[in-house]
mmCIF file of all heavy atoms in Angstrom:
data_model
loop_
_atom_site.group_PDB
_atom_site.id
_atom_site.type_symbol
_atom_site.label_atom_id
_atom_site.label_comp_id
_atom_site.label_asym_id
_atom_site.label_seq_id
_atom_site.Cartn_x
_atom_site.Cartn_y
_atom_site.Cartn_z
ATOM 1 N N LYS A 1 -0.947 5.866 26.115
ATOM 2 C CA LYS A 1 -2.208 6.574 25.898
ATOM 3 C C LYS A 1 -2.016 7.884 25.087
ATOM 4 O O LYS A 1 -2.844 8.148 24.213
ATOM 5 C CB LYS A 1 -2.862 6.981 27.304
ATOM 6 C CG LYS A 1 -4.169 7.657 27.090
ATOM 7 C CD LYS A 1 -4.780 8.048 28.451
ATOM 8 C CE LYS A 1 -6.088 8.819 28.344
ATOM 9 N NZ LYS A 1 -6.356 9.548 27.139
ATOM 10 N N ALA A 2 -0.934 8.536 25.307
ATOM 11 C CA ALA A 2 -0.686 9.836 24.606
ATOM 12 C C ALA A 2 -0.455 9.510 23.073
ATOM 13 O O ALA A 2 -0.973 10.227 22.207
ATOM 14 C CB ALA A 2 0.528 10.532 25.114
ATOM 15 N N THR A 3 0.220 8.424 22.816
ATOM 16 C CA THR A 3 0.415 8.045 21.383
ATOM 17 C C THR A 3 -0.861 7.603 20.728
ATOM 18 O O THR A 3 -1.171 7.936 19.575
ATOM 19 C CB THR A 3 1.517 6.958 21.264
ATOM 20 O OG1 THR A 3 2.752 7.434 21.829
ATOM 21 C CG2 THR A 3 1.763 6.598 19.784
ATOM 22 N N VAL A 4 -1.653 6.892 21.464
ATOM 23 C CA VAL A 4 -2.988 6.488 20.939
ATOM 24 C C VAL A 4 -3.817 7.730 20.691
ATOM 25 O O VAL A 4 -4.428 7.839 19.607
ATOM 26 C CB VAL A 4 -3.745 5.573 21.969
ATOM 27 C CG1 VAL A 4 -5.277 5.404 21.515
ATOM 28 C CG2 VAL A 4 -3.033 4.197 22.089
ATOM 29 N N ASP A 5 -3.806 8.749 21.585
ATOM 30 C CA ASP A 5 -4.467 9.960 21.307
ATOM 31 C C ASP A 5 -3.971 10.665 20.013
ATOM 32 O O ASP A 5 -4.721 11.185 19.257
ATOM 33 C CB ASP A 5 -4.333 10.913 22.479
ATOM 34 C CG ASP A 5 -5.116 10.434 23.769
ATOM 35 O OD1 ASP A 5 -5.975 9.572 23.608
ATOM 36 O OD2 ASP A 5 -4.812 10.978 24.831
ATOM 37 N N ASP A 6 -2.667 10.677 19.876
ATOM 38 C CA ASP A 6 -2.044 11.261 18.658
ATOM 39 C C ASP A 6 -2.470 10.478 17.480
ATOM 40 O O ASP A 6 -2.854 11.149 16.389
ATOM 41 C CB ASP A 6 -0.516 11.258 18.740
ATOM 42 C CG ASP A 6 -0.019 12.261 19.738
ATOM 43 O OD1 ASP A 6 -0.707 13.235 20.061
ATOM 44 O OD2 ASP A 6 1.146 12.133 20.175
ATOM 45 N N PHE A 7 -2.487 9.192 17.468
ATOM 46 C CA PHE A 7 -2.987 8.385 16.326
ATOM 47 C C PHE A 7 -4.479 8.758 15.992
ATOM 48 O O PHE A 7 -4.835 8.919 14.807
ATOM 49 C CB PHE A 7 -2.862 6.886 16.584
ATOM 50 C CG PHE A 7 -1.444 6.353 16.425
ATOM 51 C CD1 PHE A 7 -1.000 5.331 17.215
ATOM 52 C CD2 PHE A 7 -0.621 6.838 15.410
ATOM 53 C CE1 PHE A 7 0.271 4.772 17.094
ATOM 54 C CE2 PHE A 7 0.668 6.374 15.263
ATOM 55 C CZ PHE A 7 1.077 5.274 16.077
ATOM 56 N N HIS A 8 -5.233 8.872 17.041
ATOM 57 C CA HIS A 8 -6.665 9.242 16.813
ATOM 58 C C HIS A 8 -6.808 10.582 16.143
ATOM 59 O O HIS A 8 -7.606 10.847 15.207
ATOM 60 C CB HIS A 8 -7.463 9.177 18.134
ATOM 61 C CG HIS A 8 -7.694 7.811 18.611
ATOM 62 N ND1 HIS A 8 -8.373 7.566 19.759
ATOM 63 C CD2 HIS A 8 -7.407 6.632 18.034
ATOM 64 C CE1 HIS A 8 -8.471 6.185 19.904
ATOM 65 N NE2 HIS A 8 -7.868 5.632 18.911
ATOM 66 N N ARG A 9 -5.882 11.597 16.592
ATOM 67 C CA ARG A 9 -5.952 12.857 15.930
ATOM 68 C C ARG A 9 -5.639 12.757 14.412
ATOM 69 O O ARG A 9 -6.033 13.571 13.604
ATOM 70 C CB ARG A 9 -4.894 13.841 16.514
ATOM 71 C CG ARG A 9 -5.329 14.421 17.818
ATOM 72 C CD ARG A 9 -4.270 15.444 18.272
ATOM 73 N NE ARG A 9 -4.544 15.846 19.625
ATOM 74 C CZ ARG A 9 -3.937 15.356 20.745
ATOM 75 N NH1 ARG A 9 -3.046 14.489 20.585
ATOM 76 N NH2 ARG A 9 -4.320 15.811 21.895
ATOM 77 N N LEU A 10 -4.832 11.749 14.101
ATOM 78 C CA LEU A 10 -4.368 11.476 12.704
ATOM 79 C C LEU A 10 -5.429 10.636 11.961
ATOM 80 O O LEU A 10 -5.186 10.324 10.811
ATOM 81 C CB LEU A 10 -2.971 10.841 12.739
ATOM 82 C CG LEU A 10 -1.877 11.683 13.172
ATOM 83 C CD1 LEU A 10 -0.616 10.890 13.452
ATOM 84 C CD2 LEU A 10 -1.537 12.773 12.101
ATOM 85 N N GLY A 11 -6.416 10.245 12.618
ATOM 86 C CA GLY A 11 -7.528 9.450 11.990
ATOM 87 C C GLY A 11 -7.184 7.916 12.011
ATOM 88 O O GLY A 11 -7.854 7.198 11.337
ATOM 89 N N ILE A 12 -6.240 7.557 12.804
ATOM 90 C CA ILE A 12 -5.811 6.134 12.892
ATOM 91 C C ILE A 12 -6.433 5.533 14.152
ATOM 92 O O ILE A 12 -6.026 6.026 15.258
ATOM 93 C CB ILE A 12 -4.273 6.005 12.880
ATOM 94 C CG1 ILE A 12 -3.704 6.520 11.597
ATOM 95 C CG2 ILE A 12 -3.792 4.520 13.159
ATOM 96 C CD1 ILE A 12 -2.156 6.706 11.574
ATOM 97 N N THR A 13 -7.292 4.607 14.038
ATOM 98 C CA THR A 13 -7.974 4.005 15.167
ATOM 99 C C THR A 13 -7.747 2.513 15.308
ATOM 100 O O THR A 13 -8.107 1.924 16.321
ATOM 101 C CB THR A 13 -9.493 4.317 15.114
ATOM 102 O OG1 THR A 13 -9.996 3.766 13.904
ATOM 103 C CG2 THR A 13 -9.754 5.720 15.164
ATOM 104 N N ARG A 14 -7.124 1.939 14.299
ATOM 105 C CA ARG A 14 -6.894 0.468 14.243
ATOM 106 C C ARG A 14 -5.448 0.175 13.805
ATOM 107 O O ARG A 14 -4.946 0.889 13.025
ATOM 108 C CB ARG A 14 -7.928 -0.223 13.248
ATOM 109 C CG ARG A 14 -9.369 -0.065 13.658
ATOM 110 C CD ARG A 14 -10.308 -0.861 12.741
ATOM 111 N NE ARG A 14 -9.882 -0.856 11.352
ATOM 112 C CZ ARG A 14 -10.215 0.079 10.358
ATOM 113 N NH1 ARG A 14 -10.855 1.195 10.780
ATOM 114 N NH2 ARG A 14 -9.793 0.010 9.172
ATOM 115 N N VAL A 15 -4.901 -0.901 14.377
ATOM 116 C CA VAL A 15 -3.548 -1.287 14.040
ATOM 117 C C VAL A 15 -3.290 -1.427 12.552
ATOM 118 O O VAL A 15 -2.303 -0.904 11.976
ATOM 119 C CB VAL A 15 -3.180 -2.580 14.769
ATOM 120 C CG1 VAL A 15 -1.769 -3.113 14.326
ATOM 121 C CG2 VAL A 15 -3.169 -2.354 16.278
ATOM 122 N N GLU A 16 -4.209 -2.038 11.843
ATOM 123 C CA GLU A 16 -4.037 -2.261 10.386
ATOM 124 C C GLU A 16 -3.947 -0.979 9.618
ATOM 125 O O GLU A 16 -3.333 -0.981 8.475
ATOM 126 C CB GLU A 16 -5.067 -3.242 9.877
ATOM 127 C CG GLU A 16 -6.483 -2.742 9.937
ATOM 128 C CD GLU A 16 -7.237 -3.298 11.216
ATOM 129 O OE1 GLU A 16 -6.592 -3.686 12.161
ATOM 130 O OE2 GLU A 16 -8.468 -3.294 11.106
ATOM 131 N N GLN A 17 -4.427 0.118 10.127
ATOM 132 C CA GLN A 17 -4.320 1.389 9.482
ATOM 133 C C GLN A 17 -2.906 1.938 9.440
ATOM 134 O O GLN A 17 -2.600 2.847 8.638
ATOM 135 C CB GLN A 17 -5.232 2.427 10.125
ATOM 136 C CG GLN A 17 -6.686 2.154 9.871
ATOM 137 C CD GLN A 17 -7.579 3.151 10.649
ATOM 138 O OE1 GLN A 17 -7.565 3.150 11.805
ATOM 139 N NE2 GLN A 17 -8.259 4.016 9.875
ATOM 140 N N LEU A 18 -2.034 1.379 10.240
ATOM 141 C CA LEU A 18 -0.655 1.821 10.270
ATOM 142 C C LEU A 18 0.179 1.224 9.129
ATOM 143 O O LEU A 18 1.257 1.704 8.785
ATOM 144 C CB LEU A 18 0.026 1.462 11.614
ATOM 145 C CG LEU A 18 -0.438 2.238 12.822
ATOM 146 C CD1 LEU A 18 0.062 1.570 14.132
ATOM 147 C CD2 LEU A 18 -0.026 3.683 12.734
ATOM 148 N N VAL A 19 -0.242 0.113 8.584
ATOM 149 C CA VAL A 19 0.471 -0.582 7.523
ATOM 150 C C VAL A 19 0.702 0.330 6.353
ATOM 151 O O VAL A 19 -0.253 0.979 5.894
ATOM 152 C CB VAL A 19 -0.230 -1.864 7.122
ATOM 153 C CG1 VAL A 19 0.468 -2.561 5.923
ATOM 154 C CG2 VAL A 19 -0.314 -2.854 8.288
ATOM 155 N N GLY A 20 1.990 0.492 5.989
ATOM 156 C CA GLY A 20 2.324 1.277 4.829
ATOM 157 C C GLY A 20 2.524 2.744 5.079
ATOM 158 O O GLY A 20 2.829 3.463 4.180
ATOM 159 N N LYS A 21 2.363 3.166 6.347
ATOM 160 C CA LYS A 21 2.484 4.594 6.721
ATOM 161 C C LYS A 21 3.967 4.898 6.855
ATOM 162 O O LYS A 21 4.797 4.055 7.091
ATOM 163 C CB LYS A 21 1.700 4.883 7.975
ATOM 164 C CG LYS A 21 0.227 4.734 7.916
ATOM 165 C CD LYS A 21 -0.407 5.880 7.082
ATOM 166 C CE LYS A 21 -1.919 5.906 7.233
ATOM 167 N NZ LYS A 21 -2.613 5.058 6.351
ATOM 168 N N GLU A 22 4.319 6.159 6.804
ATOM 169 C CA GLU A 22 5.666 6.683 7.007
ATOM 170 C C GLU A 22 5.662 7.491 8.249
ATOM 171 O O GLU A 22 4.916 8.469 8.371
ATOM 172 C CB GLU A 22 6.139 7.492 5.880
ATOM 173 C CG GLU A 22 6.397 6.569 4.598
ATOM 174 C CD GLU A 22 6.954 7.431 3.487
ATOM 175 O OE1 GLU A 22 7.800 8.337 3.742
ATOM 176 O OE2 GLU A 22 6.565 7.185 2.330
ATOM 177 N N ALA A 23 6.516 7.154 9.247
ATOM 178 C CA ALA A 23 6.530 7.793 10.503
ATOM 179 C C ALA A 23 6.793 9.287 10.426
ATOM 180 O O ALA A 23 6.177 10.138 11.095
ATOM 181 C CB ALA A 23 7.593 7.169 11.452
ATOM 182 N N ALA A 24 7.709 9.648 9.553
ATOM 183 C CA ALA A 24 8.048 11.104 9.363
ATOM 184 C C ALA A 24 6.905 11.866 8.846
ATOM 185 O O ALA A 24 6.646 13.043 9.271
ATOM 186 C CB ALA A 24 9.250 11.238 8.436
ATOM 187 N N VAL A 25 6.134 11.284 7.947
ATOM 188 C CA VAL A 25 4.953 12.006 7.403
ATOM 189 C C VAL A 25 3.898 12.114 8.502
ATOM 190 O O VAL A 25 3.271 13.172 8.645
ATOM 191 C CB VAL A 25 4.376 11.182 6.241
ATOM 192 C CG1 VAL A 25 3.039 11.766 5.745
ATOM 193 C CG2 VAL A 25 5.331 11.213 5.037
ATOM 194 N N LEU A 26 3.677 11.047 9.301
ATOM 195 C CA LEU A 26 2.702 11.155 10.438
ATOM 196 C C LEU A 26 3.125 12.289 11.376
ATOM 197 O O LEU A 26 2.301 13.060 11.884
ATOM 198 C CB LEU A 26 2.625 9.783 11.130
ATOM 199 C CG LEU A 26 1.919 8.717 10.368
ATOM 200 C CD1 LEU A 26 1.939 7.398 11.203
ATOM 201 C CD2 LEU A 26 0.575 9.019 9.936
ATOM 202 N N LEU A 27 4.386 12.325 11.709
ATOM 203 C CA LEU A 27 4.899 13.361 12.614
ATOM 204 C C LEU A 27 4.638 14.728 12.056
ATOM 205 O O LEU A 27 4.130 15.633 12.785
ATOM 206 C CB LEU A 27 6.369 13.168 12.976
ATOM 207 C CG LEU A 27 6.982 14.253 13.888
ATOM 208 C CD1 LEU A 27 6.268 14.214 15.242
ATOM 209 C CD2 LEU A 27 8.483 14.000 14.039
ATOM 210 N N SER A 28 4.920 14.929 10.798
ATOM 211 C CA SER A 28 4.701 16.278 10.185
ATOM 212 C C SER A 28 3.204 16.645 10.234
ATOM 213 O O SER A 28 2.894 17.827 10.564
ATOM 214 C CB SER A 28 5.182 16.184 8.743
ATOM 215 O OG SER A 28 4.982 17.405 8.126
ATOM 216 N N ARG A 29 2.361 15.673 9.895
ATOM 217 C CA ARG A 29 0.895 15.968 9.969
ATOM 218 C C ARG A 29 0.443 16.280 11.359
ATOM 219 O O ARG A 29 -0.335 17.185 11.595
ATOM 220 C CB ARG A 29 0.152 14.748 9.429
ATOM 221 C CG ARG A 29 0.162 14.581 7.891
ATOM 222 C CD ARG A 29 -0.685 13.417 7.417
ATOM 223 N NE ARG A 29 -1.989 13.380 7.995
ATOM 224 C CZ ARG A 29 -2.683 12.290 8.285
ATOM 225 N NH1 ARG A 29 -2.114 11.071 8.088
ATOM 226 N NH2 ARG A 29 -3.881 12.318 8.804
ATOM 227 N N LEU A 30 0.963 15.549 12.385
ATOM 228 C CA LEU A 30 0.614 15.805 13.707
ATOM 229 C C LEU A 30 1.023 17.177 14.196
ATOM 230 O O LEU A 30 0.310 17.912 14.884
ATOM 231 C CB LEU A 30 1.208 14.709 14.651
ATOM 232 C CG LEU A 30 0.783 14.806 16.115
ATOM 233 C CD1 LEU A 30 -0.663 14.667 16.316
ATOM 234 C CD2 LEU A 30 1.518 13.724 16.893
ATOM 235 N N GLN A 31 2.234 17.553 13.800
ATOM 236 C CA GLN A 31 2.702 18.897 14.130
ATOM 237 C C GLN A 31 1.860 19.955 13.546
ATOM 238 O O GLN A 31 1.527 20.992 14.185
ATOM 239 C CB GLN A 31 4.210 19.119 13.678
ATOM 240 C CG GLN A 31 5.175 18.319 14.522
ATOM 241 C CD GLN A 31 6.652 18.398 14.101
ATOM 242 O OE1 GLN A 31 7.482 18.491 14.893
ATOM 243 N NE2 GLN A 31 6.875 18.403 12.766
ATOM 244 N N SER A 32 1.384 19.771 12.309
ATOM 245 C CA SER A 32 0.470 20.701 11.717
ATOM 246 C C SER A 32 -0.827 20.784 12.466
ATOM 247 O O SER A 32 -1.415 21.816 12.604
ATOM 248 C CB SER A 32 0.216 20.350 10.251
ATOM 249 O OG SER A 32 1.325 20.476 9.481
#
């Protein structure tokens, strides 16, 4: 649930939106 919440903060609501993403970039954006 916490990761789903983090994905939602990042604007990711569907599995297919993860395709092509970079985990380090997502983490950096989430920290910001």
Side-chain angles (χ1 to χ4, degrees):
K1 183 183 178 333
T3 302
V4 170
D5 290 345
D6 288 339
F7 282 145
H8 287 178
R9 279 187 193 99
L10 292 164
I12 297 168
T13 59
R14 298 183 323 274
V15 171
E16 60 266 21
Q17 290 175 294
L18 291 169
V19 174
K21 297 288 192 273
E22 292 184 36
V25 172
L26 293 179
L27 178 61
S28 179
R29 284 183 47 216
L30 184 60
Q31 289 180 139
S32 293

